[in-house]
Amino acid sequence: MKILYQLKKNGIEVIPIIVSVPSSLKTVNFFLYKTEDSLTLIDAGFDNDECWNAIQNVLHDHGWSVQDINRILLTHHHIDHVGLVNRIVNDHPIPVYAHSLAIPRLKREEDFLSMRIEFFSKLYQEMGCKEQGEKQIAYLQKALQKNKDKKIEAAICKIEGNQLFDFDVIYVPGHAPDQIAFYQKECGWLFGGDLLLEHVSSNALVEPDADGIRMLTVYDHYHSLKRVLGIGAELVLPGHGKLIEDPKAAAQMRMDEVEQKADKFLKLIQAGSTTAAEVAKAYYNETYLKEFPLVMSRVIGHLDYLEVIGKVRREMIDGVWHYSAD
């Protein structure tokens, strides 16, 4: 691991910690944000030795240690963004800040996770997934028990309002229901989590809200990207891949991709695929089986997007939603 960037502006220093990973993500990125009187960690990588050694090395190179970190800010709850929280906070109790929707996920609250399994069980039935949906529910039930010990032990401070320390807090759901971005307006730096990546589109993953209602993830993601166009950020510091030096062009490209994918699914509906599962099988073929939850997130999210913008409608027939072009 080597430091590829070091940003300094207005008396503020940012040191990205960039750890290579053997996947399409390319890297896992998290960030040390240094002002005159504080050191903040934004996101926390995976819980593995590669990420732990990387942050230790960067801290050492700057004459710091874990004990110098004053707080941790989390963009969202996914395991590649929160992994080192327990390692850091167990030895050095500091506040951890996250969106309210992150808390039941980070704490692995049993009532919430049981509700989430019921949500997906009903969703997959209504989308016509049958056997494959049942297999995924069985996997989620096993994971509920297997991952009990992976909860974040630290107390989590709920982020409220649109300002926190030096940052404008921007709610950017889509990829995750709890995703937020931290915008350092004076420097033009947006710590964007997985909102916008340079080398690959960020998946909008279907999830329930706190009340078990399905969030309109692709629609939300599209409008979260639109916010990037509006704030005038000069640089996006993402959770994976390269820093993004032309955020407007990158955001517009990803928004265009949403519309293009939705149009492809619309054509499949016009050609006779009426359920989400049929659309998924027609478009993704064997990938439907290999990456079932991801594929269904993409399809359901885009069908919701098409419904919201008035291009499709749906009708419940024998417990399954059937889509038609409007």
Side-chain angles (χ1 to χ4, degrees):
M1 196 283 301
K2 61 180 180 178
I3 299 172
L4 301 178
Y5 307 91
Q6 191 160 340
L7 306 172
K8 291 184 179 181
K9 198 173 186 180
N10 299 343
I12 298 165
E13 183 176 6
V14 172
I15 305 97
I17 303 166
I18 299 175
V19 181
S20 297
V21 293
S23 73
S24 61
L25 297 176
K26 294 192 176 181
T27 69
V28 169
N29 308 336
F30 42 115
F31 305 92
L32 288 166
Y33 176 92
K34 183 72 171 74
T35 64
E36 184 178 348
D37 57 4
S38 68
L39 181 63
T40 300
L41 178 64
I42 302 176
D43 283 341
F46 276 116
D47 181 14
N48 61 26
D49 289 342
E50 288 80 8
C51 288
W52 180 244
N53 292 337
I55 191 171
Q56 294 278 19
N57 290 340
V58 170
L59 288 166
H60 180 267
D61 289 347
H62 286 78
W64 305 323
S65 74
V66 166
Q67 303 300 314
D68 292 306
I69 300 173
N70 300 102
R71 62 185 73 96
I72 301 173
L73 311 185
L74 300 177
T75 60
H76 61 295
H77 73 280
H78 289 167
I79 58 172
D80 52 336
H81 292 258
V82 307
L84 297 180
V85 170
N86 282 341
R87 289 206 206 193
I88 293 170
V89 177
N90 285 347
D91 291 334
H92 176 46
I94 52 175
V96 178
Y97 294 83
H99 190 276
S100 60
L101 287 175
I103 294 173
R105 293 166 165 89
L106 292 171
K107 289 294 185 181
R108 298 199 61 80
E109 294 177 4
E110 192 167 337
D111 287 349
F112 173 81
L113 295 180
S114 295
M115 176 275 283
R116 184 175 177 270
I117 291 174
E118 287 300 314
F119 164 85
F120 280 109
S121 179
K122 183 172 183 284
L123 178 67
Y124 292 146
Q125 289 173 20
E126 292 181 346
M127 294 299 166
C129 299
K130 299 179 183 176
E131 180 183 356
Q132 203 61 29
E134 292 171 3
K135 287 181 180 178
Q136 179 62 18
I137 296 306
Y139 169 81
L140 291 175
Q141 288 168 336
K142 288 179 182 176
L144 181 60
Q145 300 304 316
K146 180 182 176 183
N147 297 326
K148 274 186 173 181
D149 62 342
K150 294 186 178 178
K151 69 179 181 180
I152 298 299
E153 301 290 348
I156 299 169
C157 305
K158 180 171 66 175
I159 295 175
E160 297 180 298
N162 57 12
Q163 199 72 34
L164 184 69
F165 306 115
D166 288 358
F167 303 105
D168 292 345
V169 178
I170 306 170
Y171 183 43
V172 286
H175 172 70
D178 58 303
Q179 184 167 247
I180 49 181
F182 300 104
Y183 183 41
Q184 218 300 348
K185 192 172 184 178
E186 287 71 29
C187 297
W189 298 336
L190 183 73
F191 298 86
D194 289 351
L195 169 65
L196 184 62
L197 307 179
E198 187 268 343
H199 65 288
V200 67
S201 10
S202 185
N203 290 303
L205 302 171
V206 167
E207 283 284 341
D209 65 13
D211 298 315
I213 306 301
R214 180 165 93 247
M215 299 185 73
L216 303 175
T217 49
V218 168
Y219 181 83
D220 288 345
H221 182 60
Y222 183 92
H223 285 276
S224 293
L225 290 168
K226 204 169 183 179
R227 289 187 194 106
V228 174
L229 293 177
I231 64 173
E234 297 174 17
L235 182 73
V236 171
L237 297 93
H240 308 282
K242 296 178 180 178
L243 306 194
I244 299 171
E245 297 180 352
D246 191 348
K248 286 189 175 182
Q252 187 62 60
M253 179 178 69
R254 298 303 180 205
M255 290 167 63
D256 291 346
E257 288 174 353
V258 168
E259 294 174 345
Q260 291 160 9
K261 181 68 68 66
D263 189 56
K264 290 176 182 177
F265 291 160
L266 176 61
K267 285 181 169 59
L268 289 173
I269 291 170
Q270 292 168 334
S273 296
T274 68
T275 70
E278 288 172 354
V279 171
K281 292 172 186 176
Y283 188 83
Y284 288 100
N285 301 309
E286 67 275 5
T287 306
Y288 171 76
L289 299 176
K290 294 177 181 176
E291 299 180 23
F292 173 78
L294 177 57
V295 163
M296 289 312 301
S297 275
R298 288 174 178 167
V299 171
I300 294 167
H302 282 85
L303 293 182
D304 285 343
Y305 175 81
L306 286 167
E307 186 177 4
V308 172
I309 66 174
K311 291 193 174 182
V312 301
R313 59 183 178 273
R314 59 181 165 141
E315 178 185 9
M316 180 72 78
I317 302 173
D318 296 329
V320 176
W321 287 114
H322 288 259
Y323 291 82
S324 57
D326 208 350

